Amino acid sequence: MYGGPGVKTDKDFPIPDTMKAWVLGNPGELKLTQKPIPVPKRAEVLVRVDAVAICATDLEIIDHGSPALIQGGKPFNKNFTPGHEYMGTLVALGPGVDEYKIGQRVTVEIHAGCGQCKRCREGMYTSCHNYGLNYGEVDKGHRANGFTTDGGFCEYQVNNINTLVAIPGAMSDEEATLVVTAGTAMYGLTELGGLVAGESVVVTGPGPIGLLGVAVAKALGAQPVILTGTRDNRLQIGRELGADHVINVRNENAVEAVKRFNGGKGVDYVVECSGAPNAVNEAVYMVNRGGKVCLAAFPHAETPVDVAHIVRNNIYLYGIRGEGKSATHRAEAFMSQKRFDATKIHTHTFALDDLPTAIRYAKDRVEDAIKVVVKARGVAAHRVAAE
Ligand SMILES: [Zn+2]
Ligand SMILES: [Zn+2]
């Protein structure tokens, strides 16, 4: 019988004792298992996961471990369930929770900070100083589902209420999984960057965060918004999401083209989403004096940086980790007002049982896949679950 002290459930949303959950074995190896359904504590809820999108960071974690941090180390063979870009329906409320109702649809932010450290107190809970340290004897309340605690490649997950974003009935499950991606772009441009309407933006790399970075920048009133990349089909989607100009870097020099499109000058902001070997230097050559470069990609190799150029030109360079300062709520507001159509980057949906196939589509860009979503219900499975 599911439950715990002070936990509210509803007979219209029955909760079984166990659930399907994918767990990470050795690097690159996912296994479908059964896990007990977690019980929400104070200020937590149980989310029935209705859809979960695959992110490049999931692929990174599944193959290389970092930036997941489980019990002080890499996440392999620790019964860890990855997946962080999910949405669903609330089916149980922890003790004292009255901010949300059972049956309500929500999407989730990833990081529930500890609420006690310097960065959490500043609203930068994605940079919580207790990241990954909440295990064993230590209970700081920190969770980053899919990174330091179990994530969404399963049927149910516990979330702190401060990670919940209510969504309207008209927003599809698939679109709702994209709110956190748009929220990350929002955080980089406004909370960390300070973008105001009328400033100029370049986004380098038309992956999901780059494409939604274009959409968010345009919705914020940036002018012009310029997207660079190597694939014309993705650059075309960038145009549909609001890019004023696109540059295929295989055909022309990106720095020269940016300046040409911006009246001969560098732009105010570059959001670097490509992770390409010379991307940081190209970004600092694309911004104007005093401009800002937000680094949002994870390159595998060390990257050369023209420090002298940065110093001489007072350029700001900052990394971004996730979606702090409730930027996700503002991204959701844009999406529910249809200021841009994030569904343009959703390309495929598979059953939860077909997660390995879904991951292959995302990783190898099969059929030009961009955002691939898996759902535990309502999508026929192609493979027989190994149970
Ligand atoms: Zn992600
Ligand atoms: Zn903290």
Side-chain angles (χ1 to χ4, degrees):
M1 183 65 189
Y2 180 84
V7 174
K8 288 197 194 75
T9 56
D10 186 320
K11 61 179 175 3
D12 291 341
F13 296 89
I15 303 168
D17 290 325
T18 62
M19 63 173 176
K20 286 181 192 172
W22 287 93
V23 298
L24 185 56
N26 291 320
E29 182 191 41
L30 285 167
K31 289 178 279 198
L32 188 59
T33 61
Q34 288 282 324
K35 279 190 180 181
I37 294 176
V39 177
K41 295 191 277 194
R42 191 189 150 275
E44 291 180 341
V45 296
L46 184 68
V47 179
R48 183 189 73 196
V49 179
D50 293 333
V52 50
I54 296 166
C55 172
T57 311
D58 293 318
L59 307 178
E60 187 72 23
I61 288 169
I62 290 164
D63 286 342
H64 303 284
S66 173
L69 192 57
I70 300 294
Q71 289 154 25
K74 293 209 169 187
F76 304 116
N77 298 306
K78 290 177 177 169
N79 203 35
F80 166 64
T81 297
H84 58 272
E85 296 184 359
Y86 60 93
M87 59 72 63
T89 305
L90 301 188
V91 293
L93 308 179
V97 172
D98 59 4
E99 294 85 350
Y100 290 89
K101 292 189 184 68
I102 290 177
Q104 196 169 353
R105 291 170 75 237
V106 295
T107 190
V108 302
E109 293 186 29
I110 299 147
H111 299 81
C114 73
Q116 303 165 43
C117 75
K118 174 178 180 167
R119 293 292 171 240
C120 281
R121 298 274 289 161
E122 293 172 338
M124 294 177 71
Y125 42 83
T126 63
S127 305
C128 175
H129 289 179
N130 285 310
Y131 181 87
L133 302 178
N134 191 64
Y135 64 94
E137 300 283 286
V138 179
D139 186 4
K140 300 282 187 191
H142 176 275
R143 295 183 70 95
N145 286 1
F147 290 88
T148 67
T149 42
D150 272 351
F153 292 143
C154 60
E155 293 182 279
Y156 295 88
Q157 199 47 265
V158 156
N159 274 78
N160 192 295
I161 56 167
N162 66 17
T163 65
L164 304 180
V165 182
I167 52 167
M171 187 181 285
S172 69
D173 293 353
E174 287 81 354
E175 183 174 10
T177 65
L178 301 169
V179 169
V180 73
T181 310
T184 301
M186 180 76 90
Y187 183 48
L189 286 168
T190 58
E191 278 81 359
L192 295 181
L195 174 87
V196 292
E199 291 188 306
S200 47
V201 173
V202 168
V203 176
T204 54
I209 181 151
L211 288 168
L212 291 188
V214 163
V216 168
K218 197 66 194 168
L220 288 165
Q223 176 70 26
V225 177
I226 302 167
L227 174 65
T228 74
T230 58
R231 279 165 287 160
D232 286 327
N233 59 328
R234 292 236 180 154
L235 293 172
Q236 177 54 34
I237 295 168
R239 273 191 194 281
E240 292 167 20
L241 284 167
D244 298 295
H245 308 286
V246 298
I247 299 165
N248 188 323
V249 300
R250 288 195 201 282
N251 304 336
E252 56 187 327
N253 179 297
V255 176
E256 286 169 15
V258 161
K259 290 185 177 170
R260 189 174 74 245
F261 285 131
N262 194 43
K265 294 197 194 101
V267 294
D268 298 310
Y269 294 86
V270 174
V271 185
E272 204 306 282
C273 303
S274 75
N278 200 34
V280 178
N281 276 343
E282 288 211 335
V284 301
Y285 301 144
M286 283 175 189
V287 284
N288 53 34
R289 300 192 83 201
K292 294 179 180 173
V293 176
C294 174
L295 302 173
F298 295 108
H300 277 272
E302 284 193 19
T303 301
V305 179
D306 186 346
V307 175
H309 180 83
I310 294 171
V311 174
R312 278 190 216 111
N313 294 289
N314 202 146
I315 290 165
Y316 296 79
L317 201 60
Y318 58 98
I320 175 176
R321 174 63 194 269
E323 68 305 322
K325 294 197 177 178
S326 299
T328 300
H329 291 258
R330 300 196 302 113
E332 189 280 331
F334 272 166
M335 288 167 66
S336 60
Q337 293 172 81
K338 306 208 179 303
R339 297 288 297 277
F340 54 84
D341 181 5
T343 63
K344 287 185 184 298
I345 72 165
H346 165 244
T347 54
H348 296 78
T349 300
F350 290 93
L352 178 64
D353 287 357
D354 290 325
L355 180 64
T357 306
I359 284 175
R360 183 170 61 80
Y361 269 63
K363 188 188 256 175
D364 300 340
R365 296 170 188 151
V366 179
E367 297 166 5
D368 289 330
I370 305 178
K371 265 297 183 198
V372 180
V373 168
V374 296
K375 300 182 87 164
R377 281 165 298 281
V379 182
H382 291 101
R383 93 189 240 295
V384 178
E387 289 180 320

